[in-house]
Each structure stands twice: as C-alpha cells, then as structure tokens.
Amino acid sequence: MHAPLFAAAAAPVVDIDGTIFIQAGIFLLLMAILYPLLFKPWLATQARREQAITGTTAAATDLRARADEEGRRYDNRLAEARARAAGIRSDAVKGSEAERQRQLAEARAAASGESEALRERLAHEAEAARTTLATRVEELAQDIATKLLGRTV
C-alpha cells in the first residue's frame, strides 16, 4: 500500500527528451513576437511612470521648499509690520501723553493764576471790610452796648 505513493513521488516532474528543443523554440518564438508587442511597451510605460513619479516628487519637494520660503518671508514681513505698528502706537501714546501733560500744565497754571487772583481779591476785600469795620467800630460798640444794657451809653 505504501509502495505506490513512493513510486509517484520518485517520478521526475519534467522529462528531458527531444521535445525540449521544440519547447525552447516555441519559447524563443513567443519571446521574439511578444517582446516588441507586449514587453517593450510595458517596460517603456513603467519607465515613463517612474520618471513621472520622480519628476512629480522633485517638483513637489521644490514647491514645498518655495512655499516654506514664502511662509518665512511672510512671517518676517508680518513681524516687521507688527513692530512698525507697535512703534507708531507707542509714538502716538507718547504724543498724546505729552499733549495731555502740556494741557494739564496749562490748566494748572491757569488755575494757579486764578487762585492767586482770587486770593488777592479776597485780601483786598478783607482789608476793605476791616477798614470799613474799623471806622464803624465805635458806632457798633455803642449799638451793642445799648442793646445789651438797654440804655444809651
């Protein structure tokens, strides 16, 4: 029972005999016919495809590098614009602060002048009131004494 299995396994897969030359001839004839019709266009298509992929990859790499460079230039210009804007804003703030300080100084000077004028006016009015009262002191004293004592002094 085990013998037929061994016999089948020991048989050669390919018989090398006189037909090998016919098979080689058919193979060479098919190669001669199929190479220009099938293999050569297929290989050319594969080469073009490989070149297209390589070219596209190189172009994409170049475009990426240019895009990165443009991005850096844009960021630099944006930073410069922000710095200029900050400078302009700072100058405007300084200018408005200086104007505010100037107006405040003018207002203080005007207020000080008005205050000094009012003090002088009050001093003159107080002096005039004292002078008026000094001349009427005797008269007022008589009136007060009369009212307090109920009789004329």
Side-chain angles (χ1 to χ4, degrees), residues 72-102:
R72 281 191 290 275
R73 277 191 285 211
Y74 173 77
D75 289 342
N76 288 340
R77 286 195 317 255
L78 186 61
E80 289 171 5
R82 284 183 178 157
R84 281 194 310 260
I88 291 169
R89 193 176 319 115
S90 174
D91 292 344
V93 166
K94 286 178 185 175
S96 67
E97 181 65 22
E99 178 64 21
R100 189 182 70 79
Q101 289 295 333
R102 184 189 62 76

PDB file of all heavy atoms in Angstrom, residues 72-102:
ATOM      1  N   ARG A  72       8.184  81.910   5.403  1.00  0.00           N
ATOM      2  CA  ARG A  72       9.151  82.616   6.244  1.00  0.00           C
ATOM      3  C   ARG A  72       9.188  84.107   5.902  1.00  0.00           C
ATOM      4  O   ARG A  72       9.221  84.950   6.791  1.00  0.00           O
ATOM      5  CB  ARG A  72      10.542  82.003   6.086  1.00  0.00           C
ATOM      6  CG  ARG A  72      10.729  80.721   6.878  1.00  0.00           C
ATOM      7  CD  ARG A  72      12.182  80.295   6.898  1.00  0.00           C
ATOM      8  NE  ARG A  72      12.641  79.836   5.594  1.00  0.00           N
ATOM      9  CZ  ARG A  72      12.496  78.622   5.120  1.00  0.00           C
ATOM     10  NH1 ARG A  72      11.895  77.710   5.840  1.00  0.00           N
ATOM     11  NH2 ARG A  72      12.958  78.289   3.928  1.00  0.00           N
ATOM     12  N   ARG A  73       9.171  84.418   4.600  1.00  0.00           N
ATOM     13  CA  ARG A  73       9.172  85.830   4.204  1.00  0.00           C
ATOM     14  C   ARG A  73       7.905  86.523   4.692  1.00  0.00           C
ATOM     15  O   ARG A  73       7.952  87.662   5.161  1.00  0.00           O
ATOM     16  CB  ARG A  73       9.293  85.970   2.688  1.00  0.00           C
ATOM     17  CG  ARG A  73      10.740  85.894   2.216  1.00  0.00           C
ATOM     18  CD  ARG A  73      10.815  86.300   0.790  1.00  0.00           C
ATOM     19  NE  ARG A  73      10.279  85.187   0.019  1.00  0.00           N
ATOM     20  CZ  ARG A  73      10.659  84.856  -1.188  1.00  0.00           C
ATOM     21  NH1 ARG A  73      11.545  85.576  -1.825  1.00  0.00           N
ATOM     22  NH2 ARG A  73      10.136  83.829  -1.808  1.00  0.00           N
ATOM     23  N   TYR A  74       6.778  85.841   4.572  1.00  0.00           N
ATOM     24  CA  TYR A  74       5.509  86.409   5.043  1.00  0.00           C
ATOM     25  C   TYR A  74       5.576  86.655   6.552  1.00  0.00           C
ATOM     26  O   TYR A  74       5.171  87.711   7.033  1.00  0.00           O
ATOM     27  CB  TYR A  74       4.357  85.467   4.698  1.00  0.00           C
ATOM     28  CG  TYR A  74       3.049  85.879   5.295  1.00  0.00           C
ATOM     29  CD1 TYR A  74       2.312  86.918   4.734  1.00  0.00           C
ATOM     30  CD2 TYR A  74       2.546  85.241   6.422  1.00  0.00           C
ATOM     31  CE1 TYR A  74       1.108  87.309   5.286  1.00  0.00           C
ATOM     32  CE2 TYR A  74       1.346  85.632   6.972  1.00  0.00           C
ATOM     33  CZ  TYR A  74       0.626  86.659   6.393  1.00  0.00           C
ATOM     34  OH  TYR A  74      -0.562  87.046   6.954  1.00  0.00           O
ATOM     35  N   ASP A  75       6.083  85.668   7.294  1.00  0.00           N
ATOM     36  CA  ASP A  75       6.197  85.830   8.747  1.00  0.00           C
ATOM     37  C   ASP A  75       7.121  86.992   9.093  1.00  0.00           C
ATOM     38  O   ASP A  75       6.842  87.760  10.028  1.00  0.00           O
ATOM     39  CB  ASP A  75       6.708  84.536   9.391  1.00  0.00           C
ATOM     40  CG  ASP A  75       5.667  83.431   9.377  1.00  0.00           C
ATOM     41  OD1 ASP A  75       4.470  83.745   9.201  1.00  0.00           O
ATOM     42  OD2 ASP A  75       6.052  82.250   9.523  1.00  0.00           O
ATOM     43  N   ASN A  76       8.235  87.120   8.351  1.00  0.00           N
ATOM     44  CA  ASN A  76       9.164  88.229   8.599  1.00  0.00           C
ATOM     45  C   ASN A  76       8.493  89.569   8.320  1.00  0.00           C
ATOM     46  O   ASN A  76       8.627  90.517   9.109  1.00  0.00           O
ATOM     47  CB  ASN A  76      10.424  88.083   7.736  1.00  0.00           C
ATOM     48  CG  ASN A  76      11.314  86.955   8.218  1.00  0.00           C
ATOM     49  OD1 ASN A  76      11.223  86.521   9.361  1.00  0.00           O
ATOM     50  ND2 ASN A  76      12.168  86.471   7.354  1.00  0.00           N
ATOM     51  N   ARG A  77       7.788  89.660   7.179  1.00  0.00           N
ATOM     52  CA  ARG A  77       7.101  90.914   6.855  1.00  0.00           C
ATOM     53  C   ARG A  77       6.024  91.213   7.888  1.00  0.00           C
ATOM     54  O   ARG A  77       5.831  92.374   8.279  1.00  0.00           O
ATOM     55  CB  ARG A  77       6.490  90.838   5.455  1.00  0.00           C
ATOM     56  CG  ARG A  77       7.516  90.938   4.352  1.00  0.00           C
ATOM     57  CD  ARG A  77       6.896  91.220   2.998  1.00  0.00           C
ATOM     58  NE  ARG A  77       5.705  90.459   2.704  1.00  0.00           N
ATOM     59  CZ  ARG A  77       5.625  89.425   1.880  1.00  0.00           C
ATOM     60  NH1 ARG A  77       6.698  89.006   1.244  1.00  0.00           N
ATOM     61  NH2 ARG A  77       4.483  88.810   1.669  1.00  0.00           N
ATOM     62  N   LEU A  78       5.321  90.186   8.337  1.00  0.00           N
ATOM     63  CA  LEU A  78       4.286  90.368   9.350  1.00  0.00           C
ATOM     64  C   LEU A  78       4.905  90.855  10.659  1.00  0.00           C
ATOM     65  O   LEU A  78       4.371  91.763  11.308  1.00  0.00           O
ATOM     66  CB  LEU A  78       3.522  89.060   9.570  1.00  0.00           C
ATOM     67  CG  LEU A  78       2.323  89.115  10.495  1.00  0.00           C
ATOM     68  CD1 LEU A  78       1.270  90.084   9.961  1.00  0.00           C
ATOM     69  CD2 LEU A  78       1.722  87.736  10.645  1.00  0.00           C
ATOM     70  N   ALA A  79       6.035  90.278  11.038  1.00  0.00           N
ATOM     71  CA  ALA A  79       6.714  90.706  12.270  1.00  0.00           C
ATOM     72  C   ALA A  79       7.185  92.154  12.136  1.00  0.00           C
ATOM     73  O   ALA A  79       7.068  92.945  13.089  1.00  0.00           O
ATOM     74  CB  ALA A  79       7.886  89.778  12.580  1.00  0.00           C
ATOM     75  N   GLU A  80       7.721  92.507  10.953  1.00  0.00           N
ATOM     76  CA  GLU A  80       8.157  93.887  10.734  1.00  0.00           C
ATOM     77  C   GLU A  80       6.968  94.843  10.806  1.00  0.00           C
ATOM     78  O   GLU A  80       7.061  95.915  11.403  1.00  0.00           O
ATOM     79  CB  GLU A  80       8.839  94.017   9.373  1.00  0.00           C
ATOM     80  CG  GLU A  80      10.201  93.363   9.308  1.00  0.00           C
ATOM     81  CD  GLU A  80      10.749  93.316   7.889  1.00  0.00           C
ATOM     82  OE1 GLU A  80      10.113  93.868   6.963  1.00  0.00           O
ATOM     83  OE2 GLU A  80      11.828  92.738   7.709  1.00  0.00           O
ATOM     84  N   ALA A  81       5.853  94.462  10.190  1.00  0.00           N
ATOM     85  CA  ALA A  81       4.668  95.315  10.215  1.00  0.00           C
ATOM     86  C   ALA A  81       4.156  95.474  11.646  1.00  0.00           C
ATOM     87  O   ALA A  81       3.756  96.570  12.054  1.00  0.00           O
ATOM     88  CB  ALA A  81       3.577  94.731   9.318  1.00  0.00           C
ATOM     89  N   ARG A  82       4.176  94.383  12.404  1.00  0.00           N
ATOM     90  CA  ARG A  82       3.743  94.471  13.799  1.00  0.00           C
ATOM     91  C   ARG A  82       4.673  95.383  14.601  1.00  0.00           C
ATOM     92  O   ARG A  82       4.218  96.159  15.452  1.00  0.00           O
ATOM     93  CB  ARG A  82       3.697  93.087  14.430  1.00  0.00           C
ATOM     94  CG  ARG A  82       2.504  92.287  13.993  1.00  0.00           C
ATOM     95  CD  ARG A  82       2.438  90.952  14.672  1.00  0.00           C
ATOM     96  NE  ARG A  82       1.242  90.226  14.258  1.00  0.00           N
ATOM     97  CZ  ARG A  82       1.110  88.938  14.315  1.00  0.00           C
ATOM     98  NH1 ARG A  82       2.087  88.183  14.780  1.00  0.00           N
ATOM     99  NH2 ARG A  82      -0.008  88.360  13.916  1.00  0.00           N
ATOM    100  N   ALA A  83       5.977  95.271  14.330  1.00  0.00           N
ATOM    101  CA  ALA A  83       6.937  96.123  15.043  1.00  0.00           C
ATOM    102  C   ALA A  83       6.709  97.588  14.675  1.00  0.00           C
ATOM    103  O   ALA A  83       6.740  98.461  15.557  1.00  0.00           O
ATOM    104  CB  ALA A  83       8.369  95.692  14.711  1.00  0.00           C
ATOM    105  N   ARG A  84       6.488  97.861  13.385  1.00  0.00           N
ATOM    106  CA  ARG A  84       6.222  99.243  12.966  1.00  0.00           C
ATOM    107  C   ARG A  84       4.931  99.747  13.613  1.00  0.00           C
ATOM    108  O   ARG A  84       4.870 100.888  14.083  1.00  0.00           O
ATOM    109  CB  ARG A  84       6.115  99.340  11.446  1.00  0.00           C
ATOM    110  CG  ARG A  84       7.455  99.352  10.747  1.00  0.00           C
ATOM    111  CD  ARG A  84       7.329  99.791   9.300  1.00  0.00           C
ATOM    112  NE  ARG A  84       6.298  99.070   8.575  1.00  0.00           N
ATOM    113  CZ  ARG A  84       6.494  98.063   7.759  1.00  0.00           C
ATOM    114  NH1 ARG A  84       7.719  97.632   7.541  1.00  0.00           N
ATOM    115  NH2 ARG A  84       5.486  97.474   7.145  1.00  0.00           N
ATOM    116  N   ALA A  85       3.909  98.898  13.628  1.00  0.00           N
ATOM    117  CA  ALA A  85       2.636  99.302  14.239  1.00  0.00           C
ATOM    118  C   ALA A  85       2.820  99.578  15.726  1.00  0.00           C
ATOM    119  O   ALA A  85       2.264 100.545  16.255  1.00  0.00           O
ATOM    120  CB  ALA A  85       1.582  98.222  14.018  1.00  0.00           C
ATOM    121  N   ALA A  86       3.598  98.745  16.382  1.00  0.00           N
ATOM    122  CA  ALA A  86       3.848  98.967  17.812  1.00  0.00           C
ATOM    123  C   ALA A  86       4.607 100.277  18.010  1.00  0.00           C
ATOM    124  O   ALA A  86       4.320 101.032  18.953  1.00  0.00           O
ATOM    125  CB  ALA A  86       4.633  97.799  18.405  1.00  0.00           C
ATOM    126  N   GLY A  87       5.571 100.562  17.127  1.00  0.00           N
ATOM    127  CA  GLY A  87       6.302 101.823  17.211  1.00  0.00           C
ATOM    128  C   GLY A  87       5.393 103.010  16.984  1.00  0.00           C
ATOM    129  O   GLY A  87       5.467 104.012  17.713  1.00  0.00           O
ATOM    130  N   ILE A  88       4.538 102.914  15.972  1.00  0.00           N
ATOM    131  CA  ILE A  88       3.605 104.006  15.688  1.00  0.00           C
ATOM    132  C   ILE A  88       2.654 104.197  16.864  1.00  0.00           C
ATOM    133  O   ILE A  88       2.386 105.327  17.293  1.00  0.00           O
ATOM    134  CB  ILE A  88       2.829 103.727  14.386  1.00  0.00           C
ATOM    135  CG1 ILE A  88       3.775 103.826  13.191  1.00  0.00           C
ATOM    136  CG2 ILE A  88       1.655 104.668  14.231  1.00  0.00           C
ATOM    137  CD1 ILE A  88       3.187 103.318  11.884  1.00  0.00           C
ATOM    138  N   ARG A  89       2.168 103.075  17.389  1.00  0.00           N
ATOM    139  CA  ARG A  89       1.262 103.142  18.543  1.00  0.00           C
ATOM    140  C   ARG A  89       1.981 103.764  19.743  1.00  0.00           C
ATOM    141  O   ARG A  89       1.423 104.616  20.436  1.00  0.00           O
ATOM    142  CB  ARG A  89       0.768 101.736  18.889  1.00  0.00           C
ATOM    143  CG  ARG A  89      -0.378 101.713  19.838  1.00  0.00           C
ATOM    144  CD  ARG A  89      -0.926 100.301  20.104  1.00  0.00           C
ATOM    145  NE  ARG A  89      -0.998  99.461  18.941  1.00  0.00           N
ATOM    146  CZ  ARG A  89      -0.287  98.342  18.767  1.00  0.00           C
ATOM    147  NH1 ARG A  89       0.520  97.919  19.706  1.00  0.00           N
ATOM    148  NH2 ARG A  89      -0.408  97.632  17.667  1.00  0.00           N
ATOM    149  N   SER A  90       3.220 103.357  19.957  1.00  0.00           N
ATOM    150  CA  SER A  90       3.996 103.898  21.068  1.00  0.00           C
ATOM    151  C   SER A  90       4.221 105.398  20.876  1.00  0.00           C
ATOM    152  O   SER A  90       4.086 106.181  21.827  1.00  0.00           O
ATOM    153  CB  SER A  90       5.335 103.170  21.166  1.00  0.00           C
ATOM    154  OG  SER A  90       6.143 103.767  22.149  1.00  0.00           O
ATOM    155  N   ASP A  91       4.561 105.813  19.651  1.00  0.00           N
ATOM    156  CA  ASP A  91       4.746 107.239  19.370  1.00  0.00           C
ATOM    157  C   ASP A  91       3.457 108.012  19.593  1.00  0.00           C
ATOM    158  O   ASP A  91       3.468 109.113  20.143  1.00  0.00           O
ATOM    159  CB  ASP A  91       5.245 107.448  17.927  1.00  0.00           C
ATOM    160  CG  ASP A  91       6.664 106.935  17.727  1.00  0.00           C
ATOM    161  OD1 ASP A  91       7.358 106.702  18.743  1.00  0.00           O
ATOM    162  OD2 ASP A  91       7.071 106.773  16.560  1.00  0.00           O
ATOM    163  N   ALA A  92       2.339 107.424  19.149  1.00  0.00           N
ATOM    164  CA  ALA A  92       1.049 108.086  19.336  1.00  0.00           C
ATOM    165  C   ALA A  92       0.725 108.219  20.819  1.00  0.00           C
ATOM    166  O   ALA A  92       0.239 109.264  21.273  1.00  0.00           O
ATOM    167  CB  ALA A  92      -0.051 107.315  18.615  1.00  0.00           C
ATOM    168  N   VAL A  93       1.002 107.155  21.572  1.00  0.00           N
ATOM    169  CA  VAL A  93       0.738 107.206  23.013  1.00  0.00           C
ATOM    170  C   VAL A  93       1.632 108.257  23.668  1.00  0.00           C
ATOM    171  O   VAL A  93       1.173 109.047  24.497  1.00  0.00           O
ATOM    172  CB  VAL A  93       0.949 105.811  23.659  1.00  0.00           C
ATOM    173  CG1 VAL A  93       1.012 105.906  25.166  1.00  0.00           C
ATOM    174  CG2 VAL A  93      -0.160 104.880  23.221  1.00  0.00           C
ATOM    175  N   LYS A  94       2.911 108.278  23.272  1.00  0.00           N
ATOM    176  CA  LYS A  94       3.828 109.275  23.835  1.00  0.00           C
ATOM    177  C   LYS A  94       3.374 110.682  23.466  1.00  0.00           C
ATOM    178  O   LYS A  94       3.406 111.600  24.295  1.00  0.00           O
ATOM    179  CB  LYS A  94       5.245 109.030  23.332  1.00  0.00           C
ATOM    180  CG  LYS A  94       5.917 107.844  23.970  1.00  0.00           C
ATOM    181  CD  LYS A  94       7.294 107.625  23.383  1.00  0.00           C
ATOM    182  CE  LYS A  94       7.934 106.357  23.921  1.00  0.00           C
ATOM    183  NZ  LYS A  94       9.211 106.076  23.259  1.00  0.00           N
ATOM    184  N   GLY A  95       2.956 110.854  22.194  1.00  0.00           N
ATOM    185  CA  GLY A  95       2.492 112.170  21.756  1.00  0.00           C
ATOM    186  C   GLY A  95       1.252 112.605  22.510  1.00  0.00           C
ATOM    187  O   GLY A  95       1.148 113.761  22.957  1.00  0.00           O
ATOM    188  N   SER A  96       0.304 111.696  22.664  1.00  0.00           N
ATOM    189  CA  SER A  96      -0.919 112.052  23.383  1.00  0.00           C
ATOM    190  C   SER A  96      -0.614 112.286  24.860  1.00  0.00           C
ATOM    191  O   SER A  96      -1.210 113.166  25.486  1.00  0.00           O
ATOM    192  CB  SER A  96      -1.987 110.982  23.212  1.00  0.00           C
ATOM    193  OG  SER A  96      -1.592 109.785  23.844  1.00  0.00           O
ATOM    194  N   GLU A  97       0.321 111.525  25.415  1.00  0.00           N
ATOM    195  CA  GLU A  97       0.698 111.723  26.813  1.00  0.00           C
ATOM    196  C   GLU A  97       1.371 113.086  26.979  1.00  0.00           C
ATOM    197  O   GLU A  97       1.094 113.806  27.946  1.00  0.00           O
ATOM    198  CB  GLU A  97       1.632 110.603  27.294  1.00  0.00           C
ATOM    199  CG  GLU A  97       2.050 110.717  28.739  1.00  0.00           C
ATOM    200  CD  GLU A  97       0.896 110.569  29.718  1.00  0.00           C
ATOM    201  OE1 GLU A  97      -0.133 109.985  29.374  1.00  0.00           O
ATOM    202  OE2 GLU A  97       1.026 111.081  30.846  1.00  0.00           O
ATOM    203  N   ALA A  98       2.238 113.456  26.028  1.00  0.00           N
ATOM    204  CA  ALA A  98       2.896 114.760  26.091  1.00  0.00           C
ATOM    205  C   ALA A  98       1.858 115.872  25.954  1.00  0.00           C
ATOM    206  O   ALA A  98       1.916 116.881  26.685  1.00  0.00           O
ATOM    207  CB  ALA A  98       3.949 114.875  24.994  1.00  0.00           C
ATOM    208  N   GLU A  99       0.907 115.702  25.044  1.00  0.00           N
ATOM    209  CA  GLU A  99      -0.156 116.699  24.867  1.00  0.00           C
ATOM    210  C   GLU A  99      -1.000 116.808  26.136  1.00  0.00           C
ATOM    211  O   GLU A  99      -1.349 117.904  26.573  1.00  0.00           O
ATOM    212  CB  GLU A  99      -1.041 116.321  23.675  1.00  0.00           C
ATOM    213  CG  GLU A  99      -2.191 117.257  23.434  1.00  0.00           C
ATOM    214  CD  GLU A  99      -1.767 118.669  23.062  1.00  0.00           C
ATOM    215  OE1 GLU A  99      -0.624 118.877  22.609  1.00  0.00           O
ATOM    216  OE2 GLU A  99      -2.590 119.586  23.249  1.00  0.00           O
ATOM    217  N   ARG A 100      -1.300 115.647  26.739  1.00  0.00           N
ATOM    218  CA  ARG A 100      -2.080 115.654  27.975  1.00  0.00           C
ATOM    219  C   ARG A 100      -1.309 116.366  29.093  1.00  0.00           C
ATOM    220  O   ARG A 100      -1.875 117.166  29.837  1.00  0.00           O
ATOM    221  CB  ARG A 100      -2.410 114.220  28.391  1.00  0.00           C
ATOM    222  CG  ARG A 100      -3.390 114.131  29.544  1.00  0.00           C
ATOM    223  CD  ARG A 100      -3.650 112.697  29.955  1.00  0.00           C
ATOM    224  NE  ARG A 100      -2.515 112.079  30.594  1.00  0.00           N
ATOM    225  CZ  ARG A 100      -2.167 112.273  31.880  1.00  0.00           C
ATOM    226  NH1 ARG A 100      -2.850 113.082  32.641  1.00  0.00           N
ATOM    227  NH2 ARG A 100      -1.126 111.656  32.389  1.00  0.00           N
ATOM    228  N   GLN A 101      -0.017 116.077  29.189  1.00  0.00           N
ATOM    229  CA  GLN A 101       0.805 116.730  30.209  1.00  0.00           C
ATOM    230  C   GLN A 101       0.864 118.242  29.971  1.00  0.00           C
ATOM    231  O   GLN A 101       0.798 119.033  30.919  1.00  0.00           O
ATOM    232  CB  GLN A 101       2.228 116.141  30.216  1.00  0.00           C
ATOM    233  CG  GLN A 101       2.314 114.729  30.755  1.00  0.00           C
ATOM    234  CD  GLN A 101       1.949 114.659  32.225  1.00  0.00           C
ATOM    235  OE1 GLN A 101       2.105 115.615  32.982  1.00  0.00           O
ATOM    236  NE2 GLN A 101       1.445 113.506  32.642  1.00  0.00           N
ATOM    237  N   ARG A 102       0.977 118.644  28.688  1.00  0.00           N
ATOM    238  CA  ARG A 102       1.020 120.066  28.355  1.00  0.00           C
ATOM    239  C   ARG A 102      -0.295 120.730  28.745  1.00  0.00           C
ATOM    240  O   ARG A 102      -0.307 121.797  29.379  1.00  0.00           O
ATOM    241  CB  ARG A 102       1.291 120.261  26.862  1.00  0.00           C
ATOM    242  CG  ARG A 102       1.451 121.721  26.451  1.00  0.00           C
ATOM    243  CD  ARG A 102       1.495 121.886  24.950  1.00  0.00           C
ATOM    244  NE  ARG A 102       0.271 121.460  24.292  1.00  0.00           N
ATOM    245  CZ  ARG A 102      -0.875 122.141  24.272  1.00  0.00           C
ATOM    246  NH1 ARG A 102      -0.976 123.295  24.900  1.00  0.00           N
ATOM    247  NH2 ARG A 102      -1.937 121.674  23.639  1.00  0.00           N
TER     248      ARG A 102
END
